[in-house]
């Protein structure tokens, strides 16, 4: 079984910073990509940032220049450094991993963390 454990969420004032962490553990053969998604109340879950095993990154337009995604492949961990936070960044942030759970896996699968709340006050 694969688990994604998130940490780093909390309450911060507008303009502040937070750093989210997500560690993948369990049966993992290889990880293709990891990323962060968020879902605000009454809204759909949207991509925030992703990073591939080759280091390519992708960001939502709303966070470009403010958020930075990084990874530590040795620890199967992905980070999201969030700076200049805005109230509209308030959401539950979910970690995602696309990975092969076993050497015999035919295709990669997506796994999700439980989510961590980020609240940005005015």
């Amino acid at each position: 079984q694969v688990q994604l454990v998130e940490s780093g969420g909390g309450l911060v004032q507008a303009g502040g910073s937070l750093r989210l962490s997500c560690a993948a553990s369990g049966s993992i053969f290889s990880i293709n990509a990891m990323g962060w998604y968020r879902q605000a109340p009454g809204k759909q879950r949207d991509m925030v940032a992703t990073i591939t095993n080759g280091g390519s990154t992708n960001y939502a337009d709303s966070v470009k220049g403010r958020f930075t995604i990084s990874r530590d492949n040795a620890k199967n961990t992905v980070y999201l450094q969030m700076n200049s936070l805005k109230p509209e960044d308030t959401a539950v942030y979910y970690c995602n991993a696309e990975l092969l759970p076993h050497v015999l896996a035919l295709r990669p699968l997506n796994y999700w963390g439980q989510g961590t709340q980020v609240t940005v006050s005015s």
Side-chain angles (χ1 to χ4, degrees):
Q1 297 183 13
V2 175
Q3 287 187 328
L4 302 181
V5 180
E6 299 148 316
S7 63
L11 174 64
V12 66
Q13 290 187 325
S17 298
L18 285 173
R19 188 177 189 241
L20 306 183
S21 299
C22 173
S25 62
S27 180
I28 301 172
F29 179 70
S30 62
I31 298 178
N32 292 341
M34 298 185 74
W36 292 94
Y37 296 71
R38 68 186 181 187
Q39 187 168 21
K43 298 184 181 296
Q44 66 182 21
R45 186 175 300 184
D46 293 324
M47 185 273 292
V48 176
T50 60
I51 185 167
T52 69
N53 57 357
S56 298
T57 58
N58 188 32
Y59 296 93
D61 289 340
S62 59
V63 306
K64 287 181 179 178
R66 300 187 298 120
F67 292 9
T68 302
I69 189 169
S70 61
R71 74 191 195 283
D72 185 336
N73 290 338
K75 298 180 179 180
N76 291 333
T77 299
V78 65
Y79 306 93
L80 185 67
Q81 179 66 46
M82 304 185 294
N83 298 326
S84 302
L85 283 163
K86 305 175 181 179
E88 49 263 45
D89 294 319
T90 296
V92 177
Y93 284 70
Y94 296 90
C95 178
N96 172 267
E98 180 185 281
L99 56 84
L100 292 170
H102 192 272
V103 66
L104 297 180
L106 298 178
R107 57 193 174 100
L109 301 176
N110 277 289
Y111 295 85
W112 293 91
Q114 292 183 329
T116 184
Q117 177 70 47
V118 172
T119 302
V120 184
S121 63
S122 300

Short mmCIF file of all heavy atoms in Angstrom, two decimals, residues 43-86:
data_model
loop_
_atom_site.label_atom_id
_atom_site.label_comp_id
_atom_site.label_asym_id
_atom_site.label_seq_id
_atom_site.Cartn_x
_atom_site.Cartn_y
_atom_site.Cartn_z
N LYS A 43 -15.80 24.90 -4.71
CA LYS A 43 -15.09 24.90 -5.98
C LYS A 43 -14.50 23.52 -6.26
O LYS A 43 -14.38 22.68 -5.38
CB LYS A 43 -13.98 25.95 -5.97
CG LYS A 43 -14.47 27.38 -5.81
CD LYS A 43 -13.33 28.37 -5.91
CE LYS A 43 -13.82 29.80 -5.74
NZ LYS A 43 -14.76 30.18 -6.83
N GLN A 44 -14.12 23.31 -7.51
CA GLN A 44 -13.53 22.05 -7.90
C GLN A 44 -12.06 22.00 -7.50
O GLN A 44 -11.45 23.03 -7.19
CB GLN A 44 -13.67 21.84 -9.41
CG GLN A 44 -12.90 22.82 -10.26
CD GLN A 44 -13.10 22.60 -11.75
OE1 GLN A 44 -14.08 22.00 -12.17
NE2 GLN A 44 -12.16 23.09 -12.55
N ARG A 45 -11.52 20.80 -7.53
CA ARG A 45 -10.11 20.63 -7.22
C ARG A 45 -9.27 20.99 -8.43
O ARG A 45 -9.49 20.46 -9.53
CB ARG A 45 -9.85 19.19 -6.79
CG ARG A 45 -8.43 18.94 -6.30
CD ARG A 45 -8.24 17.52 -5.77
NE ARG A 45 -9.13 17.23 -4.67
CZ ARG A 45 -9.13 16.10 -3.97
NH1 ARG A 45 -8.25 15.15 -4.28
NH2 ARG A 45 -9.99 15.91 -2.98
N ASP A 46 -8.32 21.88 -8.24
CA ASP A 46 -7.50 22.37 -9.34
C ASP A 46 -6.03 22.11 -9.08
O ASP A 46 -5.57 22.05 -7.94
CB ASP A 46 -7.69 23.88 -9.54
CG ASP A 46 -9.08 24.23 -10.02
OD1 ASP A 46 -9.65 23.46 -10.80
OD2 ASP A 46 -9.58 25.30 -9.62
N MET A 47 -5.29 21.96 -10.17
CA MET A 47 -3.85 21.77 -10.08
C MET A 47 -3.19 23.06 -9.63
O MET A 47 -3.53 24.14 -10.12
CB MET A 47 -3.30 21.33 -11.44
CG MET A 47 -1.81 20.99 -11.43
SD MET A 47 -0.73 22.44 -11.72
CE MET A 47 -1.13 22.82 -13.43
N VAL A 48 -2.26 22.94 -8.72
CA VAL A 48 -1.47 24.07 -8.26
C VAL A 48 -0.08 24.02 -8.86
O VAL A 48 0.39 24.99 -9.46
CB VAL A 48 -1.37 24.11 -6.73
CG1 VAL A 48 -0.47 25.25 -6.27
CG2 VAL A 48 -2.76 24.24 -6.11
N ALA A 49 0.59 22.90 -8.70
CA ALA A 49 1.94 22.73 -9.22
C ALA A 49 2.27 21.25 -9.31
O ALA A 49 1.82 20.46 -8.48
CB ALA A 49 2.96 23.44 -8.33
N THR A 50 3.03 20.89 -10.32
CA THR A 50 3.49 19.51 -10.48
C THR A 50 4.96 19.51 -10.84
O THR A 50 5.50 20.48 -11.36
CB THR A 50 2.71 18.77 -11.58
OG1 THR A 50 2.88 19.43 -12.84
CG2 THR A 50 1.23 18.70 -11.25
N ILE A 51 5.60 18.38 -10.55
CA ILE A 51 7.00 18.20 -10.91
C ILE A 51 7.20 16.76 -11.32
O ILE A 51 6.76 15.83 -10.65
CB ILE A 51 7.93 18.61 -9.74
CG1 ILE A 51 9.40 18.52 -10.17
CG2 ILE A 51 7.66 17.77 -8.50
CD1 ILE A 51 10.35 19.21 -9.19
N THR A 52 7.86 16.55 -12.45
CA THR A 52 8.10 15.21 -12.97
C THR A 52 9.38 14.64 -12.41
O THR A 52 10.16 15.32 -11.75
CB THR A 52 8.17 15.22 -14.50
OG1 THR A 52 9.37 15.90 -14.91
CG2 THR A 52 6.96 15.93 -15.10
N ASN A 53 9.61 13.36 -12.72
CA ASN A 53 10.84 12.73 -12.26
C ASN A 53 12.07 13.36 -12.91
O ASN A 53 13.18 13.23 -12.38
CB ASN A 53 10.81 11.23 -12.53
CG ASN A 53 10.59 10.88 -14.00
OD1 ASN A 53 10.41 11.75 -14.85
ND2 ASN A 53 10.61 9.59 -14.31
N GLY A 54 11.88 14.01 -14.04
CA GLY A 54 12.97 14.70 -14.69
C GLY A 54 13.17 16.13 -14.22
O GLY A 54 14.10 16.80 -14.68
N GLY A 55 12.31 16.59 -13.33
CA GLY A 55 12.46 17.92 -12.78
C GLY A 55 11.65 19.00 -13.47
O GLY A 55 11.73 20.17 -13.09
N SER A 56 10.87 18.64 -14.48
CA SER A 56 10.04 19.63 -15.15
C SER A 56 8.89 20.05 -14.24
O SER A 56 8.25 19.21 -13.62
CB SER A 56 9.48 19.07 -16.45
OG SER A 56 10.52 18.76 -17.36
N THR A 57 8.63 21.35 -14.18
CA THR A 57 7.59 21.87 -13.31
C THR A 57 6.49 22.54 -14.11
O THR A 57 6.70 23.01 -15.23
CB THR A 57 8.17 22.88 -12.31
OG1 THR A 57 8.80 23.95 -13.03
CG2 THR A 57 9.19 22.21 -11.41
N ASN A 58 5.33 22.58 -13.51
CA ASN A 58 4.18 23.23 -14.10
C ASN A 58 3.39 23.90 -12.98
O ASN A 58 3.19 23.29 -11.93
CB ASN A 58 3.31 22.23 -14.85
CG ASN A 58 2.21 22.89 -15.65
OD1 ASN A 58 2.38 24.00 -16.15
ND2 ASN A 58 1.08 22.20 -15.81
N TYR A 59 2.95 25.13 -13.23
CA TYR A 59 2.24 25.89 -12.21
C TYR A 59 0.94 26.45 -12.76
O TYR A 59 0.85 26.80 -13.94
CB TYR A 59 3.08 27.07 -11.71
CG TYR A 59 4.36 26.69 -11.00
CD1 TYR A 59 5.56 26.58 -11.69
CD2 TYR A 59 4.36 26.45 -9.63
CE1 TYR A 59 6.72 26.24 -11.03
CE2 TYR A 59 5.53 26.11 -8.97
CZ TYR A 59 6.71 26.01 -9.68
OH TYR A 59 7.88 25.67 -9.02
N ALA A 60 -0.03 26.54 -11.89
CA ALA A 60 -1.23 27.28 -12.23
C ALA A 60 -0.88 28.75 -12.38
O ALA A 60 0.00 29.28 -11.69
CB ALA A 60 -2.29 27.10 -11.15
N ASP A 61 -1.56 29.42 -13.30
CA ASP A 61 -1.27 30.83 -13.54
C ASP A 61 -1.41 31.67 -12.27
O ASP A 61 -0.67 32.64 -12.07
CB ASP A 61 -2.19 31.38 -14.62
CG ASP A 61 -1.86 30.85 -16.00
OD1 ASP A 61 -0.72 30.37 -16.21
OD2 ASP A 61 -2.73 30.92 -16.89
N SER A 62 -2.34 31.30 -11.42
CA SER A 62 -2.62 32.08 -10.24
C SER A 62 -1.51 32.05 -9.19
O SER A 62 -1.50 32.89 -8.28
CB SER A 62 -3.93 31.62 -9.60
OG SER A 62 -3.86 30.25 -9.24
N VAL A 63 -0.59 31.10 -9.31
CA VAL A 63 0.47 30.97 -8.30
C VAL A 63 1.86 31.19 -8.87
O VAL A 63 2.84 31.17 -8.11
CB VAL A 63 0.42 29.60 -7.59
CG1 VAL A 63 -0.97 29.34 -7.02
CG2 VAL A 63 0.83 28.48 -8.54
N LYS A 64 1.97 31.41 -10.15
CA LYS A 64 3.28 31.62 -10.77
C LYS A 64 3.97 32.82 -10.15
O LYS A 64 3.37 33.87 -9.96
CB LYS A 64 3.14 31.81 -12.27
CG LYS A 64 2.79 30.54 -13.03
CD LYS A 64 2.70 30.80 -14.53
CE LYS A 64 2.39 29.52 -15.29
NZ LYS A 64 2.23 29.76 -16.75
N GLY A 65 5.23 32.64 -9.82
CA GLY A 65 6.01 33.70 -9.21
C GLY A 65 5.89 33.75 -7.71
O GLY A 65 6.68 34.45 -7.06
N ARG A 66 4.93 33.03 -7.14
CA ARG A 66 4.74 33.03 -5.69
C ARG A 66 5.02 31.67 -5.06
O ARG A 66 5.52 31.60 -3.94
CB ARG A 66 3.31 33.45 -5.34
CG ARG A 66 2.95 34.84 -5.83
CD ARG A 66 1.59 35.29 -5.30
NE ARG A 66 0.51 34.42 -5.78
CZ ARG A 66 -0.29 33.73 -4.97
NH1 ARG A 66 -0.13 33.78 -3.66
NH2 ARG A 66 -1.25 32.97 -5.49
N PHE A 67 4.67 30.60 -5.77
CA PHE A 67 4.85 29.25 -5.25
C PHE A 67 6.01 28.57 -5.97
O PHE A 67 6.24 28.80 -7.17
CB PHE A 67 3.59 28.41 -5.45
CG PHE A 67 2.41 28.82 -4.62
CD1 PHE A 67 2.41 29.99 -3.88
CD2 PHE A 67 1.28 28.02 -4.60
CE1 PHE A 67 1.32 30.37 -3.12
CE2 PHE A 67 0.18 28.38 -3.84
CZ PHE A 67 0.20 29.56 -3.10
N THR A 68 6.69 27.69 -5.27
CA THR A 68 7.77 26.90 -5.85
C THR A 68 7.63 25.46 -5.40
O THR A 68 7.56 25.18 -4.20
CB THR A 68 9.15 27.43 -5.44
OG1 THR A 68 9.29 28.80 -5.84
CG2 THR A 68 10.25 26.61 -6.11
N ILE A 69 7.60 24.55 -6.36
CA ILE A 69 7.54 23.13 -6.06
C ILE A 69 8.93 22.53 -6.21
O ILE A 69 9.69 22.90 -7.11
CB ILE A 69 6.52 22.39 -6.95
CG1 ILE A 69 6.31 20.96 -6.46
CG2 ILE A 69 6.94 22.42 -8.42
CD1 ILE A 69 5.13 20.25 -7.14
N SER A 70 9.27 21.64 -5.32
CA SER A 70 10.56 20.97 -5.37
C SER A 70 10.39 19.55 -4.84
O SER A 70 9.34 19.20 -4.30
CB SER A 70 11.62 21.73 -4.57
OG SER A 70 11.26 21.82 -3.21
N ARG A 71 11.43 18.75 -5.00
CA ARG A 71 11.33 17.37 -4.56
C ARG A 71 12.67 16.86 -4.05
O ARG A 71 13.73 17.39 -4.39
CB ARG A 71 10.84 16.47 -5.70
CG ARG A 71 11.90 16.20 -6.77
CD ARG A 71 11.31 15.54 -8.00
NE ARG A 71 12.34 14.97 -8.86
CZ ARG A 71 13.11 15.67 -9.68
NH1 ARG A 71 12.99 16.98 -9.73
NH2 ARG A 71 14.00 15.05 -10.44
N ASP A 72 12.60 15.83 -3.24
CA ASP A 72 13.76 15.10 -2.78
C ASP A 72 13.50 13.65 -3.16
O ASP A 72 12.77 12.94 -2.47
CB ASP A 72 13.95 15.25 -1.27
CG ASP A 72 15.22 14.59 -0.78
OD1 ASP A 72 15.72 13.66 -1.43
OD2 ASP A 72 15.72 15.01 0.28
N ASN A 73 14.07 13.23 -4.27
CA ASN A 73 13.79 11.89 -4.79
C ASN A 73 14.22 10.79 -3.83
O ASN A 73 13.57 9.74 -3.74
CB ASN A 73 14.48 11.70 -6.14
CG ASN A 73 13.85 12.52 -7.24
OD1 ASN A 73 12.68 12.93 -7.15
ND2 ASN A 73 14.60 12.76 -8.31
N ALA A 74 15.31 11.00 -3.12
CA ALA A 74 15.80 10.00 -2.19
C ALA A 74 14.81 9.75 -1.06
O ALA A 74 14.74 8.65 -0.52
CB ALA A 74 17.15 10.40 -1.62
N LYS A 75 14.04 10.76 -0.71
CA LYS A 75 13.07 10.65 0.36
C LYS A 75 11.63 10.52 -0.15
O LYS A 75 10.71 10.47 0.66
CB LYS A 75 13.16 11.85 1.29
CG LYS A 75 14.50 12.00 1.99
CD LYS A 75 14.53 13.21 2.90
CE LYS A 75 15.86 13.33 3.62
NZ LYS A 75 15.90 14.52 4.51
N ASN A 76 11.46 10.46 -1.46
CA ASN A 76 10.12 10.42 -2.06
C ASN A 76 9.23 11.52 -1.49
O ASN A 76 8.07 11.29 -1.14
CB ASN A 76 9.48 9.05 -1.84
CG ASN A 76 10.15 7.95 -2.64
OD1 ASN A 76 10.73 8.20 -3.70
ND2 ASN A 76 10.08 6.72 -2.15
N THR A 77 9.78 12.70 -1.42
CA THR A 77 9.10 13.82 -0.80
C THR A 77 9.01 14.99 -1.77
O THR A 77 9.97 15.28 -2.49
CB THR A 77 9.83 14.26 0.48
OG1 THR A 77 9.85 13.17 1.41
CG2 THR A 77 9.13 15.44 1.13
N VAL A 78 7.87 15.65 -1.76
CA VAL A 78 7.67 16.84 -2.55
C VAL A 78 7.30 17.99 -1.62
O VAL A 78 6.65 17.79 -0.59
CB VAL A 78 6.57 16.62 -3.62
CG1 VAL A 78 5.21 16.38 -2.97
CG2 VAL A 78 6.51 17.80 -4.58
N TYR A 79 7.75 19.19 -1.98
CA TYR A 79 7.51 20.36 -1.17
C TYR A 79 6.81 21.43 -2.00
O TYR A 79 6.93 21.48 -3.22
CB TYR A 79 8.83 20.94 -0.65
CG TYR A 79 9.69 19.95 0.09
CD1 TYR A 79 10.67 19.23 -0.57
CD2 TYR A 79 9.52 19.73 1.45
CE1 TYR A 79 11.47 18.32 0.10
CE2 TYR A 79 10.31 18.83 2.13
CZ TYR A 79 11.29 18.12 1.45
OH TYR A 79 12.08 17.22 2.13
N LEU A 80 6.10 22.28 -1.32
CA LEU A 80 5.50 23.45 -1.95
C LEU A 80 5.78 24.66 -1.08
O LEU A 80 5.19 24.79 0.00
CB LEU A 80 4.00 23.27 -2.16
CG LEU A 80 3.31 24.39 -2.94
CD1 LEU A 80 3.79 24.41 -4.39
CD2 LEU A 80 1.80 24.26 -2.88
N GLN A 81 6.68 25.50 -1.54
CA GLN A 81 6.97 26.75 -0.85
C GLN A 81 6.00 27.80 -1.34
O GLN A 81 5.97 28.11 -2.53
CB GLN A 81 8.41 27.19 -1.10
CG GLN A 81 8.79 28.50 -0.45
CD GLN A 81 8.80 28.42 1.06
OE1 GLN A 81 9.34 27.48 1.63
NE2 GLN A 81 8.17 29.40 1.72
N MET A 82 5.21 28.34 -0.45
CA MET A 82 4.18 29.30 -0.79
C MET A 82 4.53 30.64 -0.17
O MET A 82 4.55 30.77 1.05
CB MET A 82 2.81 28.83 -0.32
CG MET A 82 2.41 27.45 -0.85
SD MET A 82 0.73 26.97 -0.38
CE MET A 82 0.94 26.83 1.39
N ASN A 83 4.79 31.62 -1.01
CA ASN A 83 5.11 32.97 -0.57
C ASN A 83 4.04 33.94 -1.04
O ASN A 83 3.27 33.64 -1.93
CB ASN A 83 6.48 33.40 -1.11
CG ASN A 83 7.61 32.54 -0.63
OD1 ASN A 83 7.61 32.05 0.50
ND2 ASN A 83 8.62 32.36 -1.48
N SER A 84 4.04 35.11 -0.42
CA SER A 84 3.08 36.15 -0.78
C SER A 84 1.66 35.61 -0.84
O SER A 84 0.91 35.85 -1.79
CB SER A 84 3.47 36.79 -2.12
OG SER A 84 4.77 37.34 -2.07
N LEU A 85 1.28 34.89 0.18
CA LEU A 85 -0.03 34.25 0.20
C LEU A 85 -1.16 35.27 0.19
O LEU A 85 -1.06 36.35 0.78
CB LEU A 85 -0.14 33.34 1.41
CG LEU A 85 0.60 32.01 1.28
CD1 LEU A 85 0.81 31.36 2.63
CD2 LEU A 85 -0.16 31.07 0.34
N LYS A 86 -2.22 34.90 -0.49
CA LYS A 86 -3.40 35.73 -0.63
C LYS A 86 -4.60 35.00 -0.05
O LYS A 86 -4.62 33.77 0.01
CB LYS A 86 -3.67 36.04 -2.11
CG LYS A 86 -2.51 36.68 -2.85
CD LYS A 86 -2.84 36.83 -4.32
CE LYS A 86 -1.68 37.45 -5.08
NZ LYS A 86 -2.00 37.59 -6.54
#
